[in-house]
Amino acid sequence: MRSVDQGSSQETPVANDAHGQESSGGGAAGSEPPWHALRVEEALRRAETDAGRGLSTQEAALRLARLGPNALPEGVRKSIATVFLHQFKSPLIYLLIAAAGIALALGKVSDSAVILVVVLINALIGTLQEGRAERSLDALRRLASPKAHVLRDGQEQQIDARELVRGDLLLLAAGDAVAADARLVEGAGLQLSEAALTGESAPVAKEPSPLGPETVLADRKNMLYAGTYVTAGRARAVVVATGPGSEIGRIAALAEAAEEPKTPLERRIEQFGRYIMGAALVLLITVVTIGTLRGVPFGQIAMVGISQVVGMVPEGLPVAITIALAVGVQRMAKRRSVVRRLAAVETLGSTTVICSDKTGTLTRNEMTVTTVHLPGGREFSVSGVGYAPEGDFLEKGGQVRPLAEEDLRGLLEAAVLCNDAQLVGPEAQEPRWKPMGDPTEVALVTLGKKAGLALEEVRSHFPRQAEIPFDAATKMMATQHAGPESTWVVLKGAPEVLLELCGGSRQGGVVIPMDERGRQEAHAAAESMAHRALRVLAIAIVPGASIDDRADPSAFRGKAIWLGLVGQMDPPRPEVADAVARCRAAGIRPVIVTGDHKVTGLAVARALGIAREGDIAVDGRELEQLSDEALAERIDRISVFARVHPAQKLRIVRAYQRRHEVVAMTGDGVNDAPALAQADVGIAMGVTGTEVAKEASKMVIADDNFSTIVAAVEEGRVVYRNLKKVILYLFSTSMAEVAVLLAALVMGYPPPLAAVQILWINLVTEGVVTINLILDPAEGDEMRRRPIPTDEPLLTRTLLSRMAFMTPAIAISTLGWFIYRLSTGAPFAQVQTETFTVLAVCQWFNVLNCRSEGRSVFRMNLLKNPWLIGGLVLGNLLQAMVVFLPFMNEIFHTVPFSLKEVVAIGVVASFVLWVEELRKLLVRRRERGESLRAPPARTHGAEERAHA
């Protein structure tokens, strides 16, 4: 989207950013001061708007038409042609195209066409799947169409957020999202959650006074930023920057600049392709040289060489990889994960570190009171989590009736009076309780409802007469209420501040003086609760007092009566602890990267099992002081990174990547986007995630649940394991074809297989079971295995050792049958057809071998993969067509043979099955022997250190 200066054509020139918009951060150096340094009147004048009427509808339309919508650039969408051409970027594809070109030059049009068909099928599948992933993401975008309340023509109107322009007057109330950067004009008790921008979970109080020009973004109390939302109070603000000119736009540009690393699978395919190309070239030269020395005509021997090259290259591998990833995408979609890039599926299986946000991802994002402390040392634990008012008050393990406890009831009433939040009951359309207001205050309302308080009755019985909104400087809120005899004031705030105002405390319904010992006991209780990662509030009342115009709480010093402490926390999701345990068992290390305090983050990490003995938390300031070398030394012991800003999140991801870790980064905020783009797998939240985060990610979790990420990792591992099965299957056959053809040439025999027959086997015979092998279900131990090393080649030592049995067995069966039948004097066309069929039947036995590394074919339930059964049946039918249908005989140079040969071929081809069964038996015996000799199992921590 192209943007220009946000304003009317008559306004004073202002500084523009790279997008052509004036940044909300300020004007040009030395000319216009930044917005936060202006007085309200100056800001309105500069934005050319009327504080009482806002913009006119006509002027707003002119600005919108000239400047474009209030939206971030979606990035350049790849055309279908670009996506299609991208599918050809593979060394294996290059080699197949070269082979097709050589075949065409030699006049083998049908052979060349078959090879090109394989290449085109692979490209089409990849193109269709990537398009499907983008459509799924578009559907997520349409789940929410943001609106904005503005003042236009002197009337309040609701418009699409995309229609906002600079100069619009935003009207905001609790629960509203801020749709553009704006300068605060007026506000009452205004607090905003800026977690999406700064990562800080605590609401920030706002007021319209001008600030110094050098004030940093986090301290601009008179600015409201797009991507944040109002938690309490109301406000009127003038829009000063939209789209790319907003702070979100700047971070989006940072995300676009982040380098996107290649996935492990892409690196493996590149490496493997280079090896295959080199081996194919050597093989071609070898075949042509031997043939020339034997006096074979060049055209004939060149075609034999191409047959060898085609036999070496598993044509079905690119298609198999694409389909395997596509199947993984579809399985993940059923588990509420939208994958934007196919290769990210396999990368998930290689993940070794998950850098996860805390709020909303590991926790419920629902503040919950868990502890209430009364003067005199009485402490109650409160059950139930979230905003559903269901739970009990427990004291020393026994349940109490809170409204029967006079001191407890008094505290609860004060907590809901000094409070602006509401809790709306469940309805037919919305079965959940709906919070309205600051999460901290909603938690207090929920606490009151759990106790049985009638919220509206209490508030109407003690109506509010005046208030002092929460101020970050005083760390306190105060409300004045009318009582039966006189007014009184309720105080709510930080314990270290409020307790200094208290001259007494209520115990047993009686007010007793608070001496220094009592004050120390209260502070000790607050510290004890804070060390348990609770956010602690103190509550007090001032009988007979009123709030004067100075709004100065210090006037209550010595007059306040302490009622108690309330401790609350954002509880972990109940399923996350199990998900973390599964990560640990799978060799994956979860790490918390949060904008919250490190004490809170570390407590959550310990509760969930993320932090183990000896692990530490590091905040942004400490991280800034660490050199890259020092960070590398300590990073294994860091379980929580707290209070970090966007550039530090990028540094954390890169620090892990320099250690060759495969990093999955989860996040939902704008500040997460650069790290999401840099991570090997960026995972954005679908419900709470910003558009910037989703655009920067490779995968979107539709339900914002950490356990869904673990399920996606498991699917990634299933995909990779099935890919290894396919690779083993394809290469054991390909190498057998090469061995048969090369051995026949060296021994002076004619080619046992025609080039078109090799292509049929590689495309059709293999293809009908290869795709179905990909659909094999999970074996159940995927999350008990170590992550796949990033430098692991496609052909591992394990696969090569298995091929050492399979390939010779297939080659011996095929070449042995060929030599035997020639010795009987059978016609060459029939011998070649039978040999072709032996090789095909070997494939069907071998696909059963490849389903498991150690389990016997006869102990595996083939019915668990009905697709494989269907593939085997289809393969038999197609092979029968090639052998027995006249028009297929002409294309594939085949002739029919009798039923007697069919039975004999089946027996000979089964040799590969018995060889592999013998190998598996030896493996199982060796593993049993090793388990008997193994020392006692190590602790889980020792296993993790061994992995490290």
Side-chain angles (χ1 to χ4, degrees):
M1 178 185 74
R2 187 179 64 177
S3 299
V4 292
D5 179 31
Q6 297 271 0
S8 69
S9 56
Q10 292 83 24
E11 71 186 82
T12 304
V14 293
N16 296 336
D17 68 3
H19 298 277
Q21 289 204 27
E22 181 183 5
S23 163
S24 58
S31 57
E32 295 282 1
W35 290 99
H36 58 267
L38 299 176
R39 295 194 306 274
V40 170
E41 298 79 8
E42 294 172 332
L44 290 168
R45 186 165 56 250
R46 182 165 154 189
E48 293 192 337
T49 191
D50 188 297
R53 295 185 57 82
L55 295 175
S56 67
T57 301
Q58 182 180 9
E59 175 62 19
L62 288 173
R63 295 189 187 190
L64 182 64
R66 180 162 49 85
L67 306 172
N70 171 39
L72 297 178
E74 292 187 1
V76 179
R77 288 285 182 108
K78 293 180 181 178
S79 66
I80 294 178
T82 301
V83 175
F84 179 74
L85 292 174
H86 180 76
Q87 310 304 318
F88 294 89
K89 294 181 64 176
S90 166
L92 289 178
I93 299 297
Y94 301 153
L95 189 56
L96 288 174
I97 293 174
I102 295 173
L104 185 62
L106 293 172
K108 305 293 184 179
V109 178
S110 60
D111 293 355
S112 177
V114 172
I115 297 174
L116 291 177
V117 165
V118 173
V119 174
L120 288 174
I121 289 174
N122 171 71
L124 286 172
I125 291 173
T127 302
L128 290 173
Q129 184 53 45
E130 290 197 17
R132 183 179 296 178
E134 283 303 316
R135 287 194 297 274
S136 298
L137 193 67
D138 289 338
L140 277 178
R141 292 193 188 102
R142 290 192 294 270
L143 289 177
S145 179
K147 304 290 183 181
H149 287 85
V150 297
L151 191 67
R152 287 186 179 175
D153 298 318
Q155 300 292 324
E156 181 178 344
Q157 301 179 25
Q158 185 183 62
I159 64 172
D160 286 337
R162 291 174 60 87
E163 297 177 8
L164 283 174
V165 294
R166 200 180 77 178
D168 264 324
L169 282 178
L170 280 174
L171 305 177
L172 298 165
D176 288 347
V178 181
D181 289 4
R183 170 65 163 86
L184 184 61
V185 174
E186 60 183 49
L190 183 64
Q191 295 185 38
L192 269 76
S193 171
E194 296 185 336
L197 189 66
T198 66
E200 170 57 62
S201 60
V204 178
K206 298 286 184 176
E207 56 91 21
S209 302
L211 301 168
E214 303 302 321
T215 305
V216 297
L217 184 144
D219 295 330
R220 295 174 190 167
K221 306 300 184 184
N222 57 16
M223 294 295 297
L224 316 181
Y225 294 105
T228 64
Y229 67 92
V230 180
T231 60
R234 54 193 178 277
R236 179 178 299 195
V238 58
V239 173
V240 300
T242 61
S246 65
E247 291 299 329
I248 280 184
R250 293 173 175 272
I251 297 179
L254 180 62
E256 290 176 5
E259 182 181 353
E260 187 175 289
K262 291 183 178 179
T263 69
L265 182 60
E266 289 171 333
R267 292 194 292 266
R268 291 180 187 121
I269 291 175
E270 282 188 2
Q271 180 191 52
F272 177 73
R274 289 192 294 268
Y275 292 158
I276 287 292
M277 291 180 73
L281 181 60
V282 171
L283 179 62
L284 181 62
I285 293 173
T286 302
V287 169
V288 172
T289 300
I290 294 174
T292 302
L293 293 176
R294 287 184 171 274
V296 180
F298 179 77
Q300 181 181 347
I301 195 61
M303 199 60 215
V304 172
I306 291 177
S307 300
Q308 295 281 51
V309 170
V310 171
M312 171 175 281
V313 177
E315 291 90 340
L317 183 58
V319 176
I321 290 174
T322 302
I323 293 179
L325 298 179
V327 168
V329 166
Q330 298 310 314
R331 286 177 172 174
M332 289 182 185
K334 293 178 181 178
R335 301 177 80 165
R336 307 188 64 78
S337 303
V338 178
V339 177
R340 301 185 65 211
R341 280 193 60 198
L342 285 180
V345 177
E346 181 270 341
T347 310
L348 275 169
S350 300
T351 298
T352 58
V353 175
I354 298 179
C355 294
S356 175
D357 189 18
K358 176 181 69 68
T359 304
T361 307
L362 298 172
T363 64
R364 296 168 59 101
N365 200 17
E366 297 178 344
M367 293 300 295
T368 303
V369 174
T370 62
T371 306
V372 177
H373 183 93
L374 297 181
R378 295 187 68 189
E379 190 165 288
F380 303 87
S381 60
V382 185
S383 63
V385 295
Y387 296 139
E390 301 168 356
D392 299 317
F393 287 71
L394 307 172
E395 184 180 20
K396 297 179 180 178
Q399 186 173 339
V400 299
R401 296 172 55 208
L403 298 187
E405 301 281 343
E406 184 177 358
D407 292 349
L408 182 56
R409 180 184 181 120
L411 181 144
L412 295 173
E413 289 179 339
V416 299
L417 289 172
C418 189
N419 196 313
D420 293 321
Q422 296 283 347
L423 191 62
V424 180
E427 302 172 354
Q429 296 81 7
E430 178 56 58
R432 299 177 59 188
W433 287 84
K434 182 180 179 182
M436 299 179 64
D438 177 77
T440 299
E441 294 194 337
V442 174
L444 296 177
V445 171
T446 305
L447 179 71
K449 284 184 172 289
K450 283 182 181 179
L453 280 182
L455 182 64
E456 297 304 325
E457 182 179 326
V458 172
R459 287 179 173 176
S460 63
H461 191 64
F462 301 104
R464 184 183 298 188
Q465 297 178 322
E467 66 182 273
I468 303 176
F470 177 83
D471 187 342
T474 63
K475 298 182 180 180
M476 191 182 304
M477 175 181 178
T479 55
Q480 176 183 316
H481 300 269
E485 299 177 358
S486 64
T487 62
W488 50 294
V489 172
V490 182
L491 304 177
K492 178 186 70 183
E496 66 272 17
V497 175
L498 191 144
L499 285 170
E500 295 305 313
L501 305 180
C502 293
S505 62
R506 179 186 287 172
Q507 300 182 35
V510 178
V511 177
I512 63 174
M514 177 176 279
D515 56 15
E516 189 58 31
R517 179 179 177 182
R519 203 179 310 277
Q520 289 178 357
E521 289 177 351
H523 281 294
E527 289 180 7
S528 172
M529 293 167 71
H531 286 149
R532 285 177 270 163
L534 298 179
R535 184 173 294 171
V536 186
L537 289 174
I539 297 175
I541 59 172
V542 188
S546 61
I547 295 174
D548 59 24
D549 294 336
R550 293 177 302 166
D552 184 7
S554 62
F556 305 130
R557 186 176 300 278
K559 303 175 183 178
I561 299 171
W562 178 45
L563 300 183
L565 303 172
V566 175
Q568 54 184 232
M569 67 179 298
D570 183 5
R573 290 178 179 266
E575 66 276 10
V576 168
D578 178 65
V580 169
R582 297 184 69 202
C583 284
R584 292 283 185 182
I588 302 170
R589 187 173 181 214
V591 177
I592 295 178
V593 182
T594 179
D596 213 337
H597 294 279
K598 71 175 185 179
V599 173
T600 303
L602 189 57
V604 171
R606 286 172 176 160
L608 294 174
I610 292 175
R612 295 299 178 93
E613 184 178 352
D615 284 359
I616 60 173
V618 172
D619 62 24
R621 186 186 61 220
E622 295 167 333
L623 181 62
E624 200 70 39
Q625 296 171 352
L626 289 176
S627 65
D628 289 344
E629 293 74 17
L631 177 60
E633 289 178 4
R634 301 179 63 182
I635 201 166
D636 276 339
R637 295 192 298 114
I638 300 174
S639 288
V640 178
F641 292 92
R643 296 282 190 188
V644 292
H645 55 71
Q648 290 178 325
K649 291 190 176 185
L650 271 175
R651 185 185 177 200
I652 291 166
V653 172
R654 288 169 176 163
Y656 280 117
Q657 289 174 335
R658 280 194 294 271
R659 294 170 57 85
H660 307 291
E661 305 280 5
V662 179
V663 183
M665 169 72 187
T666 69
D668 54 6
V670 175
N671 62 324
D672 294 327
L676 287 173
Q678 176 67 39
D680 297 281
V681 184
I683 306 174
M685 301 296 108
V687 177
T688 60
T690 60
E691 285 302 307
V692 176
K694 293 173 186 175
E695 288 293 334
S697 67
K698 296 184 181 70
M699 190 171 80
V700 179
I701 299 298
D703 60 0
D704 289 16
N705 197 325
F706 184 82
S707 63
T708 302
I709 300 168
V710 179
V713 170
E714 183 177 18
E715 288 293 347
R717 292 190 170 195
V718 172
V719 167
Y720 189 76
R721 174 178 275 188
N722 287 347
L723 267 179
K724 298 305 282 281
K725 295 177 184 179
V726 169
I727 290 169
L728 173 64
Y729 173 65
L730 292 177
F731 275 91
S732 58
T733 304
S734 296
M735 291 302 102
E737 292 170 8
V738 171
V740 168
L741 291 168
L742 194 58
L745 179 63
V746 171
M747 296 168 66
Y749 289 103
L753 301 167
V756 72
Q757 292 171 350
I758 294 174
L759 288 171
W760 173 267
I761 288 177
N762 288 359
L763 176 61
V764 179
T765 307
E766 291 178 354
V768 294
V769 291
T770 298
I771 305 306
N772 303 326
L773 186 59
I774 287 168
L775 298 173
D776 245 13
E779 294 185 33
D781 63 345
E782 282 76 13
M783 295 303 285
R784 295 194 295 273
R785 292 171 172 262
R786 292 185 60 188
I788 301 98
T790 55
D791 58 351
E792 179 181 281
L794 284 180
L795 285 176
T796 61
R797 182 177 300 177
T798 300
L799 292 190
L800 290 173
S801 66
R802 295 184 67 185
M803 284 174 57
F805 287 86
M806 294 177 179
T807 297
I810 296 172
I812 289 171
S813 296
T814 306
L815 187 59
W817 182 267
F818 176 71
I819 295 174
Y820 164 71
R821 290 296 285 156
L822 283 178
S823 68
T824 63
F828 181 76
Q830 181 174 344
V831 173
Q832 195 174 57
T833 302
E834 292 174 3
T835 304
F836 167 42
T837 305
V838 169
L839 184 57
V841 179
C842 283
Q843 305 284 61
W844 302 332
F845 283 113
N846 200 38
V847 75
L848 300 177
N849 289 333
C850 295
R851 293 192 68 203
S852 176
E853 181 179 338
R855 295 174 63 191
S856 168
V857 168
F858 304 105
R859 298 185 67 86
M860 296 186 69
N861 186 356
L862 188 59
L863 295 178
K864 284 189 175 181
N865 189 350
W867 296 100
L868 187 57
I869 299 175
L872 290 170
V873 172
L874 179 60
N876 275 270
L877 293 175
L878 291 173
Q879 186 66 25
M881 289 171 56
V882 169
V883 173
F884 297 106
L885 292 183
F887 77 93
M888 298 289 277
N889 294 154
E890 294 180 10
I891 297 174
F892 290 96
H893 316 301
T894 56
V895 295
F897 49 79
S898 67
L899 182 60
K900 182 177 66 174
E901 278 78 24
V902 171
V903 175
I905 285 172
V907 173
V908 171
S910 69
F911 179 61
V912 66
L913 177 68
W914 305 116
V915 169
E916 178 66 2
E917 282 296 303
L918 177 61
R919 186 202 65 81
K920 290 179 179 179
L921 178 62
L922 295 175
V923 167
R924 290 195 297 272
R925 286 185 176 178
R926 185 183 69 238
E927 289 177 347
R928 281 197 294 268
E930 289 176 351
S931 65
L932 291 174
R933 295 192 300 270
R938 295 176 295 176
T939 65
H940 198 72
E943 289 179 0
E944 289 176 359
R945 287 190 290 274
H947 287 326

